Amino acid sequence: MSYQVLARKWRPRDFASLIGQEHVVKALVNALEQQRLHHAYLFTGTRGVGKTTIARIIAKTLNCEAGISAEPCGKCSACVEIDEGRFVDLLEVDAASRTKVEDTRELLENVQYAPTRARFKIYLVDEVHMLSQHSFNALLKTLEEPPPHVKFLLATTDPQKLPVTVLSRCLQFNLRNVPAAAIAAHLATIVEAEGLAADEAALQRIARAAAGSIRDALSLLDQAIAFGGGEVRSAGVVQMLGDVPREQVYELLECLAEGDAAALLERVARLAESVSDFSAVLDDLAAVLQRLAVAMAVPGRSSGGEEEDGERLAALAARLSPEDVQLYYQIALLGKRDLPLAPDPLSGFEMVLLRMHAFRPAESGTPVPAPPSPGSRETGKAAAPAARSTSPARAAPPRAHSKAPRDAAVEAETPAPARGDTSPAAPFEGDWPALVERLPLQGLPHELAANCELLEHGAERLRLRLGESHANLLSEGRRARLEQAVRSATGETWQLRIDVGETEGETPAARRSRLEDERYLKAREAIDGDPLVQSIKDSFGAEVDAESVRPLGGPEQG
């Protein structure tokens, strides 16, 4: 007996065997149980997700000799012949090879005749989007008002190419790409049933390579079985797929974490001995960074990778900041896009990694000085030290300021301390806005802290209230980061609780906004009261552009 490929041998025969399409199965099962049968169904989705498989199952449910139901018997002559592809009243058409209007007319010329032996005559048209416009026109009338004994089952990978007149006449079901975890579990079931030896990591690699397609996964599994001589092992699958060993991807990230450019280039040279597709390497690098970001943001949550990588991820998470991981991920994506523009793939890949090595997000504790006043004589002397005091990766852009006379600006010339520029931990005395200014936080966690008011504190318990208009800022991950930041800044083991409700007092954000408004008004008063400004206004009929006024210095300087 000839060998039957796994994709055909393990093709689902009923709705219960389908993988990853529960939303479609539920709708179809309910419709069949209630006998609410439509005359035309359209199934869309990428290759290998089950479009024609579902269509054949529907054909069995409609023509099973046991009666119309969501569970065909699978044993009657109709069910057996449909499974074997030889049922006379199921007409399967590949629209990609029969695109002409003459083909469509020939197909439909017998539509008015009753089925030979079945309950329904079923037309299954695969890749229906390949039909010509004239073919669609020939199909429309029959599709809208077919005889009661006819059902149309259409499948396509590109529904955008279908005329809206066809779409409006069908019940449309969108099939999803099957998650890699579901594919891996299905492959494990098949391998066990086939009596084969397989590594879990190998099956997970095959599942990821299938990109959501069950059929592709089974074809790859067939190939892996042949490649491994009846066994499916991780090393063999890596070699078969041309993948980069995950160990080498981790080594690259470890070199980045150590800041060792020489070791980084050495690893790249070793990688180049066995890899030619550096775009695929960047894909693997981005995949590991994504898993690392998930592990750092939500500890304990799995993102679908191999379990043995857990220790490596934990070690990297301890050595890299979330900002580093996000920057590396973005550089990997942009580097893949730009790789074809490089002189050669290897040098382009090296530059991507060197870019990761060279650039780091600005540290939250680095002070960013305000620029000196335009009228100051020390402008030239102060410029160089100011540049050195910013982050080594990125100098912050100068803050815009008004063109006020020197005596109106000197008062605010001293820079305010940057957020997170903390001194050693100091006990919390109940001044929440002051504490927020000391917290080593940035981005959304800082916004969360700034929009909370203090309700109570004591006995290592800190209770805050977040305004309802900012409730979207609250998440368990941000609450945990805020709690850790408060502990770090105060040296106390606070247990932080955040309620959502209407705030009654002044939050740090509201206080900062009020102080900025006050500073702005003081700057306006200083400018308007300056004799030189007044003289210019009187002599030339000039006016001060209110929108150009920017007070200098920090919010505490008035």
Side-chain angles (χ1 to χ4, degrees):
M1 183 177 179
S2 61
Y3 175 72
Q4 189 176 26
V5 298
L6 295 177
R8 294 188 62 190
K9 181 178 180 180
W10 288 90
R11 190 169 199 161
R13 307 286 192 235
D14 51 39
F15 288 128
S17 303
L18 282 167
I19 306 296
Q21 307 299 342
E22 292 78 8
H23 63 297
V24 173
V25 170
K26 181 178 180 180
L28 292 174
V29 167
N30 290 341
L32 288 164
E33 290 178 349
Q34 299 170 19
Q35 301 293 302
R36 300 176 67 89
L37 306 179
H38 203 269
H39 63 273
Y41 296 85
L42 173 65
F43 302 101
T44 68
T46 56
R47 70 194 185 284
V49 294
K51 300 183 295 297
T52 55
T53 295
I54 289 179
R56 289 177 182 175
I57 294 173
I58 291 178
K60 288 198 295 184
T61 64
L62 296 177
N63 287 318
C64 179
E65 294 174 4
I68 299 176
S69 73
E71 298 179 1
C73 70
K75 299 177 181 178
C76 66
S77 60
C79 289
V80 171
E81 290 176 14
I82 290 174
D83 284 337
E84 294 177 353
R86 56 185 180 88
F87 190 58
V88 67
D89 289 315
L90 173 60
L91 289 81
E92 294 195 31
V93 180
D94 179 15
S97 59
R98 303 191 63 180
T99 62
K100 298 180 180 178
V101 64
E102 294 81 4
D103 297 328
T104 304
R105 287 173 179 163
E106 179 184 349
L107 177 68
L108 298 175
E109 65 183 10
N110 295 323
V111 74
Q112 71 272 21
Y113 299 118
T116 303
R117 48 179 287 229
R119 194 176 292 111
F120 295 100
K121 181 184 289 186
I122 296 176
Y123 290 86
L124 198 170
V125 185
D126 198 11
E127 298 300 341
V128 66
H129 68 275
M130 297 292 288
L131 293 178
S132 67
Q133 185 62 48
H134 293 298
S135 296
F136 279 124
N137 292 337
L139 179 65
L140 276 177
K141 186 61 179 177
T142 305
L143 191 62
E144 182 176 17
E145 297 179 0
H149 58 268
V150 171
K151 302 292 182 187
F152 285 94
L153 305 177
L154 313 178
T156 178
T157 56
D158 198 352
Q160 288 80 10
K161 292 183 178 179
L162 294 181
V164 292
T165 49
V166 172
L167 293 174
S168 65
R169 288 165 169 80
C170 302
L171 284 185
Q172 184 172 345
F173 296 92
N174 300 312
L175 277 67
R176 304 166 181 161
N177 283 2
V178 183
I183 294 179
H186 184 55
L187 295 181
T189 301
I190 292 174
V191 165
E192 183 178 358
E194 294 286 332
L196 301 171
D199 294 340
E200 182 181 354
L203 299 181
Q204 289 174 340
R205 282 187 175 276
I206 292 173
R208 286 198 304 273
S213 170
I214 290 285
R215 185 175 64 231
D216 285 5
L218 292 176
S219 298
L220 289 172
L221 180 60
D222 250 331
Q223 185 179 350
I225 293 171
F227 189 90
E231 295 185 348
V232 183
R233 300 301 183 189
S234 182
V237 171
V238 168
Q239 188 177 357
M240 180 192 79
L241 295 175
D243 283 352
V244 181
R246 187 58 57 88
E247 173 70 23
Q248 295 190 41
V249 176
Y250 279 112
E251 288 178 355
L252 293 175
L253 287 173
E254 286 165 356
C255 290
L256 287 170
E258 293 171 2
D260 190 341
L264 183 64
L265 293 179
E266 180 187 348
R267 295 289 192 282
V268 173
R270 193 171 68 185
L271 188 65
E273 296 175 0
S274 57
V275 172
S276 58
D277 186 1
F278 289 100
S279 178
V281 181
L282 287 175
D283 282 337
D284 285 350
L285 188 61
V288 172
L289 288 168
Q290 181 269 338
R291 293 187 57 216
L292 182 58
V294 171
M296 296 172 79
V298 187
R301 177 173 176 177
S302 171
S303 58
E306 293 93 336
E307 291 183 2
E308 62 264 28
D309 287 351
E311 293 184 3
R312 302 294 293 270
L313 284 174
L316 281 172
R319 301 167 66 184
L320 293 171
S321 71
E323 292 81 8
D324 285 332
V325 174
Q326 293 294 334
L327 181 61
Y328 293 166
Y329 183 81
Q330 188 67 18
I331 291 175
L333 295 185
L334 295 177
K336 181 184 176 184
R337 183 197 66 184
D338 296 340
L339 201 58
L341 304 178
D344 61 84
L346 175 58
S347 64
F349 181 69
E350 285 182 341
M351 283 301 295
V352 172
L353 293 178
L354 288 175
R355 196 174 305 149
M356 294 179 183
H357 169 73
F359 291 97
R360 293 278 179 113
E363 298 177 2
S364 60
T366 303
V368 180
S373 133
S376 173
R377 295 177 184 152
E378 301 299 321
T379 299
K381 297 179 181 178
R388 286 195 295 271
S389 67
T390 59
S391 168
R394 301 176 185 168
R399 192 180 308 166
H401 58 278
S402 64
K403 297 181 179 179
R406 182 174 184 272
D407 56 353
V410 167
E411 181 182 0
E413 197 170 81
T414 306
R419 186 169 69 240
D421 186 14
T422 60
S423 49
F428 180 47
E429 302 292 345
D431 189 346
W432 176 246
L435 177 59
V436 169
E437 287 299 318
R438 296 195 294 118
L439 295 180
L441 290 174
Q442 288 184 321
L444 294 178
H446 182 270
E447 288 300 308
L448 173 63
N451 286 281
C452 287
E453 65 176 353
L454 179 65
L455 293 184
E456 61 176 293
H457 71 285
E460 297 186 343
R461 184 170 178 267
L462 194 63
R463 184 169 165 232
L464 306 175
R465 178 160 54 202
L466 176 66
E468 293 179 350
S469 60
H470 296 89
N472 61 312
L473 293 172
L474 182 58
S475 70
E476 177 54 30
R478 293 174 196 144
R479 187 208 65 79
R481 289 190 64 184
L482 176 55
E483 181 181 77
Q484 184 59 41
V486 170
R487 291 180 177 182
S488 175
T490 62
E492 301 178 60
T493 55
W494 296 102
Q495 297 296 323
L496 179 62
R497 171 183 167 184
I498 302 178
D499 300 327
V500 176
E502 185 177 352
T503 55
E504 299 175 358
E506 188 178 47
T507 64
R511 178 175 180 269
R512 189 177 189 88
S513 178
R514 175 177 59 79
L515 292 176
E516 287 177 353
D517 289 344
E518 292 175 358
R519 290 172 53 242
Y520 171 78
L521 291 175
K522 285 185 178 181
R524 281 294 309 275
E525 292 173 0
I527 292 172
D528 291 340
D530 186 85
L532 178 58
V533 173
Q534 190 62 45
S535 174
I536 294 173
K537 290 169 65 177
D538 293 341
S539 301
F540 299 99
E543 293 183 358
V544 175
D545 184 359
E547 294 184 359
S548 69
V549 176
R550 297 290 186 274
L552 300 181
E556 306 297 337
Q557 291 180 272

